[in-house]
Amino acid sequence: MSTAAPDSKGSGLGIGIDLLAGLSIAGLLLPEAVAYSGIAGLPPQAGVIALFAGLVCYALIGRSRYAIVSATSSSAAVLAAGTLALAGPDGASRVLIAATLVLLTGACFLIASAARLGGISHLIARPVLRGYTFGLACVIALKQLPNLFGVAAPHGDFAPRLLVLLVQELAQVNPASAGAGVVALLLLFLCERLRRLPGSLLVIVLGVAASGWLAGHGVSLTGVIELAPTWAWPTWPRQGQWLPGIELAAALLLILYAESYSAIRSFALKHGDSVSANRDLAAFGVANLVSGLFHGMPVGAGYSATSANDAAGARSRLAGLVAAATILLMVWLLLPWIERIPEPVLAAIVIHAVSKSWRLTVFTPYLKWRRDRLVALAAVLAVLTLGILNGLLVAIAFSLAMLLRRLATPRLSVLGRLADGHDFVDIAQHPTATEIAGVLILRPEEPLFFVNAESTLAMARSHVSQPAQVHAVILSLEESPDLDGTALEALADFADWLSARSIVLRVARVKDPVRELLLRAALPQLPPQALDDWSVEDAVRLTATAAQPPLSPSNKESL
């Protein structure tokens, strides 16, 4: 944009598009915010307060042009599990503890931003996140079915128990509640095919219009929304619960940021934008602190809301501010009507929102690649059978255990020279490659560290002990960017073992940090000149020169 006129026109057009986008997503965000309060077991205003805090704070501080920061179904479910574990079913105590957890989550975000831990989302592998999201969506839907059918809602988040209790309550189903919920659910799925028709807004308008008749037939309504909560500093009901609270806040941080970063990064790649992870951490921290101070819910960038914002044509964070202003106006003018939204309608909105996570196609790549299938399956089963919080922790632990298992399995390749060049490759994968006479070239296929160093070098000893005469061993360490103390000691023991058998040891393709470490270690069997081989070819040539008597021309050709 080199001239002022196009700049001005483009800016005016962008503002107009952002205004329309903000107006269009406001009707989606408000009912979801009220519905997510029900998931968390908190008053309706908790979700509305979180929505204001997330939209305004992220628009002022965050980086992404498309992210919509509000309460999410996953954070609401985690918060519900945490407050239930700390306070039990007492509603007043859960509200106070929830506020403390949200404040602690905001503080954790700010600490992570100050420490520049933008990569913290990588602690949850994508297969774990997808499996966890799938299982969580199933649990959330199960927990909403009692509200949909008008029966008593059971406590807890164990899927088998929820199913059993729901079956036991089928005789008590309220026909009016079930009818309203099913009709709302069908309309929501129907409106997916009619993109111009806002399904959430439609079912809410119909639900409010029928609220008088539904209430007369025993259907529960949303109830009073108090946007000016009574101030009370959060306290724990029992002593010694600060540590569990911090642990729950850390769990909320992990799941919120993993979910948020996935959404932010996806749309940044789509539009060619840059990502500022540490700035976004700070934005989420401030938003959660503000939400917690006003007794709101934890907030993050949900994929569905961000996707809706992008689909509406948003071009900047102005769309989020417009949505916040629109929602404020809606709450101010329509609050009495919002309080009359039937609970089965809200339950239908939640079930429809999480239904997007039920697509089995998200697991197709892992089945096709034959990678991380067990990790994704374990995440689903962990959430369904162990609950939301324990399921998340078990899923992360399982993925780390599978990683350690893979790294701990020693894999050692024997390298040979290709017939048509100087490249050295694994002879098991390349039958045309030939070994160098008297020289054994070994390459660990995983980084050497305390888990696998001993077993990998034990495998190297077994190769050296083969009947073929070996006068030199070359260890190619390109897969090891660094060595810990255990790996260094194991390497020293291997060098001593070779020296006792009059076998020369050289290392090749060594990274600079490893070379500096080996120089500091000053192993007698690895003098500085044994660390200067930038390629296996150099190591082979120097080993042959040092270990053998002068060669005849015919022998030189064989090498």
Side-chain angles (χ1 to χ4, degrees):
M1 293 182 288
S2 56
T3 63
D7 233 10
S8 176
K9 289 180 181 178
S11 176
L13 179 62
I15 291 174
I17 292 175
D18 284 333
L19 286 171
L20 291 175
L23 289 170
S24 65
I25 63 172
L28 168 70
L29 296 176
L30 182 58
E32 284 193 352
V34 176
Y36 292 159
S37 301
I39 296 178
L42 298 177
Q45 63 266 21
V48 180
I49 291 168
L51 181 57
F52 284 126
L55 289 174
V56 174
C57 292
Y58 190 84
L60 297 177
I61 304 172
R63 173 78 179 190
S64 172
R65 294 188 293 153
Y66 305 97
I68 292 296
V69 177
S70 63
T72 66
S73 59
S74 56
S75 65
V78 173
L79 184 66
T83 55
L84 187 64
L86 292 173
D90 180 53
S93 297
R94 291 184 71 177
V95 169
L96 296 179
I97 288 179
T100 302
L101 288 175
V102 178
L103 287 170
L104 288 174
T105 302
C108 288
F109 269 115
L110 291 179
I111 291 171
S113 176
R116 305 191 68 79
L117 298 177
I120 195 171
S121 65
H122 303 310
L123 290 175
I124 304 182
R126 289 193 180 189
V128 172
L129 183 61
R130 292 198 170 101
Y132 177 78
T133 303
F134 182 90
L136 184 62
C138 295
V139 173
I140 290 172
L142 283 174
K143 288 176 69 67
Q144 290 302 306
L145 288 178
N147 294 331
L148 193 77
F149 295 136
V151 298
H155 295 294
D157 52 11
F158 300 96
R161 180 173 177 271
L162 290 174
L163 275 174
V164 171
L165 294 176
L166 185 61
V167 170
Q168 292 174 351
E169 293 287 339
L170 284 179
Q172 308 300 323
V173 168
N174 184 328
S177 180
V182 171
V183 169
L185 202 53
L186 290 175
L187 284 174
L188 287 168
F189 282 108
L190 178 63
C191 289
E192 278 188 354
R193 301 180 179 274
L194 307 173
R195 297 184 179 275
R196 299 292 181 182
L197 193 60
S200 297
L201 194 58
L202 176 64
V203 298
I204 284 176
V205 170
L206 294 176
V208 170
S211 61
W213 182 86
L214 291 172
H217 287 76
V219 177
S220 300
L221 305 182
T222 297
V224 177
I225 299 178
E226 179 57 67
L227 293 178
T230 303
W231 283 97
W233 184 252
T235 55
W236 299 116
R238 295 187 296 273
Q239 294 296 322
Q241 288 191 326
W242 281 103
L243 182 58
I246 294 173
E247 292 171 350
L248 287 168
L252 277 169
L253 178 145
L254 280 177
I255 192 65
L256 275 171
Y257 191 59
E259 182 181 26
S260 301
Y261 185 75
S262 176
I264 289 171
R265 185 174 180 274
S266 295
F267 288 96
L269 290 173
K270 178 180 177 181
H271 296 280
D273 294 345
S274 60
V275 175
S276 179
N278 292 308
R279 178 171 166 177
D280 284 337
L281 282 171
F284 293 138
V286 173
N288 278 284
L289 284 177
V290 172
S291 181
L293 285 173
F294 288 95
H295 294 188
M297 295 170 60
V299 295
Y303 189 88
S304 59
T306 301
S307 177
N309 192 37
D310 176 59
R315 293 190 177 184
S316 74
R317 293 186 297 278
L318 177 62
L321 288 175
V322 172
T326 304
I327 292 167
L328 180 63
L329 188 63
M330 291 171 64
V331 170
W332 180 37
L333 298 177
L334 305 175
L335 186 59
W337 301 107
I338 296 173
E339 294 174 343
R340 296 187 62 80
I341 300 174
E343 283 194 356
V345 171
L346 293 177
I349 290 172
V350 172
I351 294 172
H352 176 260
V354 300
S355 67
K356 299 177 178 64
S357 300
W358 293 341
R359 293 173 297 179
L360 293 173
T361 53
V362 298
F363 303 114
T364 301
Y366 306 120
L367 297 173
K368 181 180 178 181
W369 302 333
R370 297 182 182 178
R371 290 290 184 274
D372 297 323
R373 295 165 294 179
L374 287 178
V375 172
L377 178 61
V380 175
L381 295 178
V383 178
L384 293 178
T385 58
L386 301 177
I388 293 169
L389 284 176
N390 292 333
L392 174 62
L393 298 177
V394 168
I396 294 174
F398 184 79
S399 68
L400 294 177
M402 293 296 288
L403 172 64
L404 289 176
R405 176 178 175 270
R406 180 174 63 83
L407 293 176
T409 303
R411 294 194 302 139
L412 195 67
S413 298
V414 177
L415 305 187
R417 176 186 280 149
L418 288 174
D420 57 351
H422 295 291
D423 289 338
F424 287 83
V425 295
D426 183 359
I427 61 174
Q429 300 294 327
H430 300 271
T432 60
T434 57
E435 295 185 63
I436 307 299
V439 179
L440 181 62
I441 308 171
L442 302 174
R443 180 179 66 198
E445 296 297 340
E446 304 289 352
L448 290 179
F449 68 118
F450 68 93
V451 172
N452 64 9
E454 296 282 358
S455 54
T456 301
L457 294 176
M459 185 179 290
R461 290 187 182 91
S462 68
H463 281 289
V464 175
S465 301
Q466 296 296 322
Q469 184 66 31
V470 175
H471 65 78
V473 172
I474 297 173
L475 204 57
S476 182
L477 293 179
E478 68 262 35
E479 300 295 337
S480 298
D482 203 353
L483 297 177
D484 61 14
T486 301
L488 187 59
E489 290 185 25
L491 184 59
D493 292 340
F494 182 60
D496 289 337
W497 185 83
L498 292 176
S499 179
R501 287 157 179 76
S502 301
I503 298 175
V504 176
L505 173 65
R506 295 188 74 91
V507 292
R509 297 173 178 171
V510 180
K511 310 291 185 185
D512 287 338
V514 176
R515 185 178 186 278
E516 294 173 5
L517 175 62
L518 292 174
L519 287 174
R520 289 197 302 272
L523 302 179
Q525 298 81 9
L526 281 175
Q529 59 269 24
L531 308 175
D532 292 334
D533 302 327
W534 299 110
S535 68
V536 174
E537 179 68 33
D538 292 338
V540 169
R541 185 178 62 254
L542 294 174
T543 298
T545 302
Q548 293 184 354
L551 302 174
S552 65
S554 60
N555 287 336
K556 287 182 180 179
E557 290 178 5
S558 68
L559 287 175

